[in-house]
Amino acid sequence: MGLLTGLRDSISRAAATLFSEQDPKRIGIYGPPNAGKTTLANRIARDWTEHGDAVGPESHVPHETRRARRKENVEIERDGGTVSIDIVDTPGVTTKVDYTEFLEHDMEKEDAVRRSREATEGVAEAMHWLREDVDGVVYVLDSTTDPFTQVNTMLIGIIESQDLPVLILANKIDKEDSSVQRIRNAFPQHETIPLSALEGDNMDEVYDKIAEYFG
């Protein structure tokens, strides 16, 4: 009996240890096209993963990201502890993708049509992730543009209805026409953190807040 009891206790301890270790939380990086979501994802990956591989390509052309990309087991060290997350770089969400906007970037019509179709599929995928597969949201906004849009209002509303923790980032503060206060005024119910994902400005505060919100 002693052997069986010891074996049972060992199995119980092993099971308790196994199930006490939580999987990394899946944090979706959301926002409109060209807000700097992939730039932020790449910055986080460079700062906190062993090889610093990019999550995806960056471009000034809208909808460069047309499929969600995931970087797993990102370990952010803050205040003597480590926060483990998976980051999901999602396609920019918009109410309409028009192939003509790509023609302005010297694309052939066939390529523009294909890109618009892929971008539309990407929006659907991003919404699926939001409703089914993320534990929290980093919402990236371009601080040089007006945040009062149908897309931003809709997405923030969906995030709130899902009871997901959300951290709003006012990106591109390195630009002269940046206005962080405009974003704070648009969504006063949420904390807004300024940053430049491109230049790395204020990333320490961003990482502090990621650890606070999602740790």
Side-chain angles (χ1 to χ4, degrees):
M1 291 294 293
L3 178 60
L4 290 175
T5 300
L7 181 59
R8 185 173 61 246
D9 291 344
S10 296
I11 292 174
S12 297
R13 286 194 299 270
T17 300
L18 176 64
F19 290 108
S20 66
E21 295 178 358
Q22 295 182 346
D23 292 333
K25 292 182 178 178
R26 294 181 301 273
I27 307 304
I29 301 179
Y30 277 81
N34 275 21
K37 300 179 296 300
T38 300
T39 304
L40 174 65
N42 288 341
R43 169 72 59 180
I44 295 172
R46 284 197 300 269
D47 287 349
W48 298 108
T49 60
E50 182 178 358
H51 301 293
D53 295 332
V55 177
E58 303 169 23
S59 173
H60 67 283
V61 180
H63 302 287
E64 181 65 31
T65 301
R66 299 184 294 284
R67 299 290 298 180
R69 298 185 178 97
R70 183 171 174 175
K71 177 70 75 172
E72 298 181 334
N73 298 315
V74 177
E75 296 188 345
I76 299 176
E77 298 177 0
R78 309 313 284 172
D79 296 327
T82 300
V83 176
S84 296
I85 60 174
D86 294 347
I87 55 175
V88 184
D89 179 28
T90 66
V93 176
T94 184
T95 55
K96 181 181 179 182
V97 182
D98 190 338
Y99 81 91
T100 58
E101 66 180 306
F102 301 119
L103 298 178
E104 300 172 2
H105 296 277
D106 298 325
M107 278 190 191
E108 296 294 334
K109 181 177 179 180
E110 183 179 349
D111 292 335
V113 170
R114 175 184 53 79
R115 192 182 183 100
S116 66
R117 183 174 60 251
E118 292 173 351
T120 301
E121 293 169 354
V123 171
E125 183 185 17
M127 297 307 296
H128 173 80
W129 273 92
L130 183 58
R131 292 190 172 97
E132 303 291 339
D133 292 317
V134 296
D135 302 305
V137 173
V138 171
Y139 199 84
V140 183
L141 288 167
D142 180 348
S143 62
T144 70
T145 63
D146 185 1
F148 289 100
T149 67
Q150 180 182 356
V151 167
N152 291 333
T153 302
M154 175 192 71
L155 281 177
I156 293 296
I158 291 173
I159 293 165
E160 291 172 343
S161 71
Q162 298 283 95
D163 289 327
L164 294 171
V166 55
L167 177 63
I168 294 180
L169 301 184
N171 194 24
K172 305 188 182 182
I173 60 171
D174 53 301
K175 304 293 186 182
E176 288 186 6
D177 51 348
S178 166
S179 175
V180 176
Q181 191 59 47
R182 184 166 50 187
I183 294 176
R184 288 179 173 144
N185 292 342
F187 304 105
Q189 71 273 36
H190 298 291
E191 188 172 17
T192 296
I193 306 300
L195 80 153
S196 170
L198 180 64
E199 300 295 335
D201 297 340
N202 204 40
M203 289 305 300
D204 278 341
E205 184 178 7
V206 170
Y207 293 139
D208 286 342
K209 290 299 179 181
I210 288 176
E212 176 184 333
Y213 276 61
F214 310 121

